[in-house]
Amino acid sequence: MDAKDTIKQTAKAVGDKVEDAAGAVAEKAASLLEPPIPGSPGSGTPTVEEPTEPREPLPPKDDQAQPRPMSPTGAESADPPTASAQQDAYLTTATGVRIGDSDHSLKAGERGPTLLSDHHLREKIMHFDHERIPERVVHAHGAGAHGTFVANGAASSVSRAAVFAQGEETPVFVRFSTVLGSRGSADTVRDTRGFATKFYTREGNWDLVGNNIPVFFIQDGIKFPDVVHAGKPHPDREIPQAQSAHDTFWDFVSLHTEAQHHTMWNMSDRGIPRSYRMMEGFGVHTFRLVDAEGGTTLCKLHWKPRLGVHSLTWEEAQLAGGFDPDFHRRDLYDAIESGAHPQWDLGLQLFPDTPDQTFEGIDLLDPTKIVPEELAPVQVVGTMTLHGNPTNFFAETEQVAFHTGHLVPGIDITDDPLLAARNFSYLDTQLTRLAGPNFNQIPINRPHVAVNDNHRDGYHQHAVHGGVAPYKPNSLDGGCPFLAGAEEGAFVDVPVQVPAARKVRANPASYDDHYSQTRMFYRSMTPVEQEHIIHAYTFELGKCYEQAIKERQLQCLAEIDADLCEQVATGLGLPAPSPALSVPDVAASPALSQLGGEWPPDGRMVGIVVDPSGDLDGVEEVRRTLLAAGAVPLVVAPHGGQVGSVGVQRTFATVRSIELDAVLVAGAVRPAPDALPARDARAGEAVAALDPRVALLLEECFRHAKVIGAWGEGSSVLSALGMSEAAGVVVGESAAGVLGEVSGLMASHRVWERFPARV
């Protein structure tokens, strides 16, 4: 054996040992994280050495789902969901030719010019140059997930739609999003959130394209370009990104006072949700339901989260924007991966379909108005569960195309002028964004029923149409496709009587009240929530440059509530104007407040701060109890790997308060060796004998009204920080006892009584 062979054998032996050691470490880590803590990037376990033995592509992770295999024209496919994924163990061109080298261009000699004949270089660069499609003008930044909707049958008496039949299971894909920001913007900006759901029903696709706020900025869709232009960054400097705290936005909404109701919702805690999983959804518009006999009922649609409605504090939103701009995306994906599948109940508010289309004096066609739940209770008609993360973000979340006009028999539109414009806009925008009329043939958009639409050709036509007569009527194709009647499940437009009228550009008089429901919302908030609204208006208007815009918006606030106006004016250093209008008082709607309920612990993140010399047995007991309750425990230690027999998910250097819903302290948390100001800016001044980063973590959680607990030596940590006597802070001798009290307090999300409101 020569020297080269000896070196090769030695290298292989070392490589095998490294691979074995890496596998053992991974196996040990996995055993410490049962069930697994979310965040694993792939379905395989990587090795230290580059893999060289060819193997087929890895399967998707257990938490990932894919579009159901359908043909472009809706035929069932026997292919597995992975049939659309990459195939073969070897790299190929787009036409399937295997490639031997993808790291070096074809050149005329090692130092020579690159040759035009390099077809692989040309194809690779061409595709890279065109990987990006135009982003959505609004709702550009989003996250999506697969799921299932199961109907309870309660809506079958008012709608013939099969999706509402008792026990009907319908696949869904949901896309959550922000409105104003670009694709690269942060998750936690103050903004409206999109909540769009595609139901793949057995009668065709139904899209419920909603928001987390039940009212819109405008009453007529002709103003939509204006409000978006006003909310987007200023066109001269392209700032500020993804926020409404600037002059053009407040100039618009203070002049178009119909926007004040939506603005009030956005300035409330609804504008900075804690999680997509804890966010309500609304269809915004009034729709018309049609029963089996042709009878009609008007309705508004609501998504009610099983975990309750909960929000970030303003400081948490700011921290998340820097510490984790993908905070909401990560939260959704991690929850699904860890088995805490988010759920929402779909509910209907039902109203008689009267000629005036009003209910209790509220115009049901005005998208800036709500109907309080105290007047029309929300009736649950089914439950949606999200249980599958996307396998490919671009193919699914980015290419999914929603349209308010995607309706099924039993669900119809009304004459809301904003809805009419949306029915035009959604189709129109796909022609540019998805490059042509065949966007419904993209796998994520394909219906799960047969399609015979007589459409032909166009960009990205995936179907191979037969026949010679794509028109109606025809005899050359035997008359196919034929028209269906109601008994065959056809969509039948409701023959609504249109009153005799003149053609005008005008709104009904009922649209003129811009303030009474805005006042109702503000006065329905608890004092804590009102404090947050005051702060939001003060901050947003404080970022405006023009005094006239601030004064004009203060006049709008004066019409809503005198105390609100005075508090904001004080923060701006301006006089509070007197109201100029006579706005009627309306009854408060307690259903509008986020506070007052108790909610399950599913998917809550609980940090357990440990010390290597602390009560590790208690830590393991707490960890098991939290996992059994559906929460996700994150062990926080001075270093990674493991402490004793306990696996570590976060270190003092990598943890931040925003990702935790509660925190437990199980040791003395003395300064770790890397607590150096030169290495970590958080390692500055702190309480003696405590790691300064943990002290900051606890101080932030305390300021954000989160539940904090400690036992054993951990209790002295809270005493040193002056927290042990405060509301929502639990100290005790046993881990189990402390966790029991902490779990009870966590049901309300936060402990707001720690900081009594002054409003």
Side-chain angles (χ1 to χ4, degrees), residues 307-370:
L307 296 180
V309 186
H310 185 40
S311 297
L312 295 168
T313 66
W314 179 240
E315 185 184 15
E316 284 179 306
Q318 303 309 299
L319 289 171
F323 182 72
D324 187 1
D326 306 303
F327 184 69
H328 285 151
R329 281 183 179 178
R330 194 182 314 281
D331 175 271
L332 176 67
Y333 299 150
D334 284 358
I336 292 173
E337 185 180 2
S338 64
H341 296 153
Q343 290 187 309
W344 289 261
D345 290 325
L346 180 62
L348 304 180
Q349 284 183 299
L350 300 175
F351 320 102
D353 191 357
T354 57
D356 63 1
Q357 297 175 97
T358 65
F359 181 80
E360 298 288 339
I362 300 168
D363 193 326
L364 296 176
L365 299 189
D366 183 349
T368 67
K369 303 292 195 301
I370 65 168

Side-chain angles (χ1 to χ4, degrees), residues 624-639:
R624 285 195 300 268
T625 303
L626 287 168
L627 285 169
V632 179
L634 297 177
V635 175
V636 183
H639 56 76

Side-chain angles (χ1 to χ4, degrees), residues 160 203 292 409 483-492:
R160 58 175 284 199
E203 298 178 302
L483 299 177
E487 60 277 9
E488 287 88 29
F491 186 96
V492 178

Side-chain angles (χ1 to χ4, degrees), residues 58-60 66-67 69 79-87 391:
L58 293 172
Q66 294 169 302
D79 292 335
T82 53
S84 296
Q86 298 291 306
Q87 310 293 323
T391 299

